[in-house]
Amino acid sequence: MVRVLEEEKDHLRAKLGQFKGMFDGIRQTKSLIIETNGADDDRLSKSQASSPLPDPNDQQPAAPVEQRTEAVKPNDAPPPQPRGPPSDLDMMKEKFAKLLLGEDMSGGGKGVSSALALSNAITNLAASAFGEQKRLEPMAPETKARWKKEIDWLLSVTDHIVEFVPSKQKAKDGSNMEIMITRQRTDLHMNVPALKKLDGMLLDCLDNFKDQNEFYYEKGPSNNDKWWIPTPKVPPNGLSEVTRKWLQYQKDSVNQVLKAAMAINAQVLTEMEIPESYIEALPKNGRASLGDAMYKSITDEFFDPDMFLQSVDLSSEHRILDLKNKIEASVVIWERKMNAKDSKPAWGSAVSMEKREIFEDRAETILLILKHRFPGIPQSDLDISKIQYNRNVGHAILESYSRIIESLAFTVLSRIDDVMLIDSQASGDQVKPFTPPKSDADSPTSKTTLLDFMGWENGEPDPNKDEPPPPIKPTIIATNKRFLEKLENLSGLRSPSTRH
């Protein structure tokens, strides 16, 4: 009995030892889970829990557990890479998206028309590329490349402005038949390549000033009215004779670009429709628009445009623009009265159709003289209204492109005149500088003829004039012949004067 009791006690002790070892293993597993705090806590706890229970009689110390670092999950996205400059395709998408939205990025339909959006895009691109062109120097290569690339984008719209024209086609049986095919609109087909050629001539002219080293520009503001434009400097004795001839040739080339761009711009503006908002704001007759004094001068039996311009005040740009607005308004009034079929003027106060036509021709002559004597004045109210309310996309592109070429050519011409003026002062030549014309300075002895302004020869050789070096063959530009024929009949025009 005693032996049996002792065996039962030993068996109970063994079971208590097993339970004690099991509790110690669970306690050790919980402590390991709290210490690690890693990504594999569950697996660690499971592995520790499933390990065999230690023997209660075994007194070996537990092995230290290494702390694991958090592993990178395979689903984590890579860090965002910095974006490079936008590609040409992205820039073109953004530009044409703005044009389609009519510059209204909200998409609410409050944008401008497609024609005005394209006109503004070409104008803004030219302003950012050329600026004010303060010096005679080439464009930066990056700016020049951007200008050529983006202006080609905007001009690509003209490739899809087409018209139907008849064409002959030969059938399979050998018979000829006439069908209608699409072709680029005639005015765009003629003028867009011409304007591209004028654009290239201006850029080539600016590139020609890259290697010149006889004149330079001083740093700091100038003493002129436009103080932000630097003043050119020449050697004490002036420029060399070769440089003078080369500079005169550059001026003649730019002058050719200027007159061609002006002719295209004037023709396009003439073809644009006059908006109704401008017509509604017109006075009742031409006398009310011009005033009694100017109306009497234009409607007099003997009319001289030079005498008329001497009698008005042209001392400031504001007065010149105001005179142009008044004359253009009177021309529109007379044209509408001549074209009105059902117009029945009052008895005893009517002006005959023949006289109105004569008055209109005289007013257009004055406008032509003003445009060429002051090519840098801002646009008139009529021109602004036509551009704003124009819906013809082709006219909008031609007008804006020719206008910026005209403006750039006039600016380059003014910068060349600045250098030639400083050279004449340094060399002591009796050359009268180009100055803004005053109302009392229009004497016949101080006038430059129209042949000098347009660069045309009068057929009489000058023995004292040296022949310039053989220039590049000038490019023939197709312009409005009627516009140039009017210029040939005028006289007494001056070269474009500097406005500062």
Side-chain angles (χ1 to χ4, degrees), residues 161-206:
I161 302 176
V162 296
E163 61 184 358
F164 284 101
V165 293
S167 176
K168 291 184 178 180
Q169 187 177 14
K170 195 170 185 179
K172 293 182 180 180
D173 57 356
S175 60
N176 294 327
M177 58 180 177
E178 191 175 79
I179 62 173
M180 301 296 290
I181 62 173
T182 58
R183 186 185 64 184
Q184 189 180 20
R185 214 169 71 185
T186 305
D187 57 340
L188 300 175
H189 181 72
M190 293 178 58
N191 292 324
V192 170
L195 291 173
K196 284 185 176 181
K197 189 64 178 179
L198 296 176
D199 186 2
M201 291 174 63
L202 273 181
L203 297 182
D204 292 342
C205 178
L206 292 176

Side-chain angles (χ1 to χ4, degrees), residues 265-394:
N265 186 263
Q267 177 66 25
V268 175
L269 285 173
T270 303
E271 294 177 357
M272 286 185 178
E273 296 182 0
I274 302 175
E276 292 295 331
S277 59
Y278 180 83
I279 296 176
E280 292 174 358
L282 289 176
K284 294 181 179 180
N285 49 47
R287 183 188 292 270
S289 174
L290 293 172
D292 293 337
M294 286 190 290
Y295 181 81
K296 184 177 180 181
S297 299
I298 292 178
T299 58
D300 195 6
E301 184 178 357
F302 301 99
F303 174 73
D304 184 4
D306 290 332
M307 295 295 296
F308 174 82
L309 293 177
Q310 291 179 13
S311 63
V312 296
D313 187 6
L314 303 177
S315 58
S316 65
E317 185 179 271
H318 174 73
R319 296 183 182 277
I320 298 171
L321 185 60
D322 183 63
L323 174 63
K324 186 178 179 181
N325 289 330
K326 291 179 179 180
I327 295 179
E328 283 184 344
S330 62
V331 170
V332 173
I333 293 171
W334 290 329
E335 284 182 349
R336 286 180 55 81
K337 288 187 176 182
M338 286 189 299
N339 296 331
K341 297 180 180 180
D342 56 345
S343 60
K344 296 181 180 180
W347 177 263
S349 61
V351 179
S352 63
M353 302 292 289
E354 293 78 9
K355 286 187 176 181
R356 280 204 181 98
E357 188 174 357
I358 294 174
F359 299 161
E360 180 189 352
D361 187 67
R362 291 176 178 180
E364 288 181 350
T365 303
I366 297 174
L367 290 174
L368 194 61
I369 296 175
L370 289 176
K371 186 173 181 61
H372 286 83
R373 189 175 295 186
F374 309 98
I377 60 174
Q379 292 175 319
S380 63
D381 294 340
L382 178 59
D383 295 342
I384 294 174
S385 299
K386 285 183 175 181
I387 296 171
Q388 182 179 0
Y389 294 97
N390 172 53
R391 294 297 182 267
N392 192 316
V393 177

Side-chain angles (χ1 to χ4, degrees), residues 77-267:
Q81 299 293 332
R83 295 185 62 182
S87 62
D88 291 347
L89 182 59
D90 295 335
M91 293 174 59
M92 186 170 62
K93 287 181 179 178
E94 181 182 359
K95 186 173 289 292
F96 279 94
K98 292 180 180 179
L99 293 178
L100 289 174
L101 291 173
E103 302 175 357
D104 179 22
M105 304 307 293
S106 65
K110 298 180 181 179
V112 298
S113 63
S114 300
L116 184 57
L118 272 169
S119 178
N120 293 338
I122 295 176
T123 304
N124 295 335
L125 175 60
S128 62
F130 299 111
E132 199 170 357
Q133 198 65 36
K134 301 178 182 179
R135 304 167 184 262
L136 291 174
E137 59 185 4
M139 293 179 62
E142 298 82 5
T143 307
K144 186 177 181 180
R146 183 174 67 89
W147 161 255
K148 289 184 176 181
K149 176 179 62 179
E150 296 191 13
I151 195 63
D152 286 340
W153 292 350
L154 298 174
L155 293 178
S156 64
V157 179
T158 60
D159 297 335
H160 305 278
I161 302 176
V162 296
E163 61 184 358
F164 284 101
V165 293
S167 176
K168 291 184 178 180
Q169 187 177 14
K170 195 170 185 179
K172 293 182 180 180
D173 57 356
S175 60
N176 294 327
M177 58 180 177
E178 191 175 79
I179 62 173
M180 301 296 290
I181 62 173
T182 58
R183 186 185 64 184
Q184 189 180 20
R185 214 169 71 185
T186 305
D187 57 340
L188 300 175
H189 181 72
M190 293 178 58
N191 292 324
V192 170
L195 291 173
K196 284 185 176 181
K197 189 64 178 179
L198 296 176
D199 186 2
M201 291 174 63
L202 273 181
L203 297 182
D204 292 342
C205 178
L206 292 176
D207 291 339
N208 292 335
F209 289 94
K210 178 180 179 181
D211 299 327
Q212 72 81 25
N213 52 8
E214 288 200 32
F215 65 88
Y216 61 95
Y217 293 89
E218 66 177 4
K219 296 182 179 179
S222 62
N223 297 324
N224 299 325
D225 294 337
K226 290 191 174 181
W227 51 267
W228 59 90
I229 298 179
T231 303
K233 293 294 182 181
V234 297
N237 296 328
L239 301 174
S240 62
E241 193 65 24
V242 176
T243 304
R244 289 178 184 173
K245 293 179 180 179
W246 174 79
L247 198 62
Q248 183 63 41
Y249 170 67
Q250 300 300 324
K251 179 179 178 180
D252 295 339
S253 301
V254 177
N255 196 15
Q256 181 189 13
V257 175
L258 176 64
K259 68 179 183 181
M262 290 173 65
I264 295 175
N265 186 263
Q267 177 66 25

